[in-house]
Amino acid sequence: MPKKLLLLPPLSVSSAFRAPRVSPAARLAMNAARTGYRVFSANSTAACTELAKRITERLGAELGKSVVYQETNGETRVEIKESVRGQDVFIIQTIPRDVNTAVMELLIMAYALKTACARNIIGVIPYFPYSKQSKMRKRGSIVCKLLASMLAKAGLTHIITMDLHQKEIQGFFSFPVDNLRASPFLLQYIQEEIPNYRNAVIVAKSPDAAKRAQSYAERLRLGLAVIHGEAQCTELDMDDGRHSPPMVKNATVHPGLELPLMMAKEKPPITVVGDVGGRIAIIVDDIIDDVESFVAAAEILKERGAYKIYVMATHGILSAEAPRLIEESSIDEVVVTNTVPHEVQKLQCPKIKTVDISLILSEAIRRIHNGESMAYLFRNITVDD
């Protein structure tokens, strides 16, 4: 008698390829990895990765695996060595002397992460380059706005920066910009590292810096002095687009049109508004690049009786002969943060001191990734700060 064949019910596609059961703990670990974050450094030089290492140490994370280098023909190449799919990625880019190379490294890395399907790409740019070119000058261009558009096109979705040269620069971007402040760290340095700081006066080396100096003076309960006169040359004195087009000889003017003539500027002799005699002078600004104006201000303050002179700023670019000029000047100490690498300049001039701001940058990264409010980082910060 033939054996009967037992027919089994056909397997459905869903049952045949059903994923294995995963424990709740493993599922949480998978979700955490899927929605985690990575921190990369976009610099190709070792000196510029120091800030990135400090930030990752505070976060308890590892620096992302990537390779950034220059080809023999000068082109920049970026290779991401790990998966970033579905993750928040933070690119830390400090700006060395070779600004244009740093910008290209940032753009190429952002685009590489975008094509690697990163969920969000946040640029951590402590010193934003081209921030001084944020206004129209004759027939020039607003390069800062161009850079903002390029960053957005490359794939950035958020930027963390510090002490923008002009706060209005935030309006150039089509995505959120967190403009952090370094003043709490510099104020702490004044209170802890400057002996007898109660006998100090905060100095603005030009009327343009008066608001920043006033903010420091009010917080430290100190006096305020402003240097004003012909020795100062500010950005506002430069020609802007309203002088274009140039005057044309034998230009025909409507006979009934008589425009009032703008009087030419004439600066008064240099003066110091405020008493600095027998006191410590602390000059505050946002950027120290070419130091000639700071050296000239220090000489004037010395003539007016200041017995010790400090210069404090967020970004210590210290270009060209800045270390030598500082060393030979009446300035006793220059205090800047590590938004810009300046280890070489410190070796050339022992007067240069550094304040670490990696704490606030790491906290900003943590809060953005966790979706927490950034208001804590802007406590007691006003519009003029």
Side-chain angles (χ1 to χ4, degrees):
M1 184 176 180
K3 294 181 179 180
K4 293 184 178 179
L5 296 177
L6 297 176
L7 299 178
L8 297 176
L11 293 174
S12 65
V13 175
S14 59
S15 62
F17 296 97
R18 186 174 297 148
R21 292 183 178 275
V22 180
S23 65
R27 191 177 298 278
L28 287 174
M30 292 170 60
N31 291 337
R34 189 179 298 114
T35 60
Y37 71 95
R38 291 288 185 273
V39 180
F40 288 89
S41 174
N43 288 115
S44 58
T45 56
C48 297
T49 59
E50 182 63 30
L51 180 60
K53 290 178 180 177
R54 287 175 178 265
I55 291 173
T56 51
E57 285 176 4
R58 291 185 180 276
L59 290 170
E62 293 183 359
L63 203 57
K65 297 179 178 64
S66 64
V67 177
V68 182
Y69 62 96
Q70 310 300 319
E71 297 275 13
T72 54
N73 61 358
E75 294 181 356
T76 300
R77 183 175 291 273
V78 175
E79 297 177 6
I80 308 299
K81 297 295 187 179
E82 60 182 289
S83 174
V84 295
R85 183 178 296 272
Q87 297 188 12
D88 294 335
V89 180
F90 296 84
I91 308 174
I92 301 173
Q93 180 67 316
T94 52
I95 306 299
R97 291 190 177 186
D98 191 356
V99 178
N100 295 329
T101 298
V103 169
M104 284 305 300
E105 290 172 346
L106 177 61
L107 291 171
I108 295 173
M109 178 168 277
Y111 189 70
L113 294 167
K114 177 182 178 182
T115 55
C117 299
R119 184 175 64 171
N120 293 308
I121 305 172
I122 300 96
V124 182
I125 314 170
Y127 168 65
F128 194 80
Y130 289 98
S131 59
K132 286 189 174 182
Q133 298 189 48
S134 58
K135 297 179 181 179
M136 179 65 73
R137 306 295 183 197
K138 280 195 173 180
R139 283 167 292 279
S141 60
I142 305 176
V143 184
C144 192
K145 188 177 189 308
L146 171 64
L147 180 56
S149 301
M150 293 167 65
L151 292 173
K153 192 68 176 177
L156 287 180
T157 58
H158 198 141
I159 276 183
I160 303 171
T161 186
M162 182 164 284
D163 282 333
L164 286 170
H165 188 57
Q166 300 287 342
K167 298 179 184 65
E168 293 78 9
I169 290 174
Q170 296 177 78
F172 293 163
F173 295 87
S174 57
F175 49 77
V177 177
D178 286 311
N179 182 27
L180 303 176
R181 306 295 195 275
S183 51
F185 296 90
L186 297 176
L187 289 168
Q188 184 181 24
Y189 185 93
I190 293 173
Q191 293 173 313
E192 296 179 356
E193 302 296 333
I194 297 181
N196 197 22
Y197 82 92
R198 289 293 181 187
N199 189 36
V201 58
I202 305 298
V203 180
K205 70 178 180 68
S206 68
D208 295 337
K211 283 186 177 181
R212 182 182 300 273
Q214 181 182 358
S215 172
Y216 276 71
E218 290 175 351
R219 282 171 166 76
L220 293 169
R221 277 66 172 173
L222 299 177
L224 176 66
V226 180
I227 299 175
H228 177 57
E230 60 185 7
Q232 302 299 318
C233 179
T234 65
E235 293 181 13
L236 297 181
D237 297 327
M238 300 171 66
D239 293 336
D240 60 17
R242 288 169 290 188
H243 292 268
S244 177
M247 296 295 292
V248 181
K249 293 183 179 180
N250 303 324
T252 57
V253 181
H254 193 276
L257 183 63
E258 295 183 3
L259 296 175
L261 181 65
M262 175 63 73
M263 297 178 63
K265 286 184 178 181
E266 183 177 346
K267 290 189 175 182
I270 194 161
T271 56
V272 179
V273 182
D275 182 22
V276 297
R279 308 179 78 176
I280 301 171
I282 304 175
I283 305 173
V284 297
D285 212 333
D286 62 330
I287 299 174
I288 300 179
D289 191 357
D290 297 324
V291 299
E292 285 85 355
S293 59
F294 292 94
V295 171
E299 294 294 336
I300 295 162
L301 294 170
K302 207 75 171 179
E303 292 174 3
R304 297 299 193 276
Y307 71 89
K308 206 163 188 180
I309 299 169
Y310 291 81
V311 176
M312 311 198 76
T314 302
H315 310 295
I317 300 175
L318 304 171
S319 301
E321 298 295 318
R324 181 184 61 81
L325 294 174
I326 293 171
E327 186 66 26
E328 297 173 355
S329 71
S330 301
I331 299 172
D332 293 283
E333 195 170 282
V334 174
V335 183
V336 293
T337 70
N338 55 346
T339 56
V340 178
H342 50 264
E343 294 304 318
V344 175
Q345 291 89 328
K346 287 179 69 175
L347 294 175
Q348 298 171 352
C349 177
K351 292 182 179 180
I352 301 172
K353 308 297 181 184
T354 306
V355 176
D356 181 27
I357 45 82
S358 61
L359 175 63
I360 191 171
L361 293 174
S362 60
E363 180 63 15
I365 290 174
R366 190 192 67 80
R367 286 176 174 271
I368 289 174
H369 172 65
N370 293 333
E372 300 177 19
S373 172
M374 297 286 284
Y376 179 79
L377 304 181
F378 293 93
R379 292 172 303 166
N380 301 324
I381 299 294
T382 63
V383 176
D384 294 332
D385 289 332

